């Protein structure tokens, strides 16, 4: 079972802004969507399928977020 990624309110606001902004690079927006989906309780497989990325990519970005936050 996958643990839920914990995102504080301030980080959530930043991630949501990045995910929606047209000027955000696609790679950054994708990473933000991965973390937001993880915070919503979606599994790695669900996130990968929904966003069209590999499961290892989801795991990588969840891990990096857990280590360093949105900074």
């Amino acid at each position: 079972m996958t643990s839920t990624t914990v995102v504080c309110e301030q980080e959530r606001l930043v991630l949501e802004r990045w995910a929606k902004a047209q000027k955000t690079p696609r790679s950054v927006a994708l990473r933000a969507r991965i973390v937001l989906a993880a915070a919503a309780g979606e599994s790695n497989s669900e996130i990968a399928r929904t966003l069209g990325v590999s499961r290892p990519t989801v795991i990588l970005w969840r891990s990096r977020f857990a280590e360093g936050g949105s900074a």
Side-chain angles (χ1 to χ4, degrees):
M1 180 166 175
T2 303
S3 63
T4 302
T5 299
V6 178
V7 177
C8 74
E9 188 60 27
Q10 184 177 358
E11 288 174 322
R12 181 181 306 280
L13 293 173
V14 169
L15 292 168
E16 288 174 348
R17 190 172 10 151
W18 288 349
K20 294 176 185 176
Q22 290 183 352
K23 295 204 179 215
T24 300
R26 272 192 272 180
S27 60
V28 173
L30 175 62
R31 293 169 195 160
R33 287 185 189 98
I34 289 170
V35 173
L36 289 168
E42 291 184 38
S43 72
N44 293 336
S45 296
E46 286 178 295
I47 297 167
R49 192 172 33 258
T50 301
L51 297 177
V53 297
S54 69
R55 192 171 173 275
T57 296
V58 173
I59 293 167
L60 171 72
W61 289 109
R62 286 184 71 165
S63 173
R64 288 194 181 168
F65 180 82
E67 291 172 8
S70 59

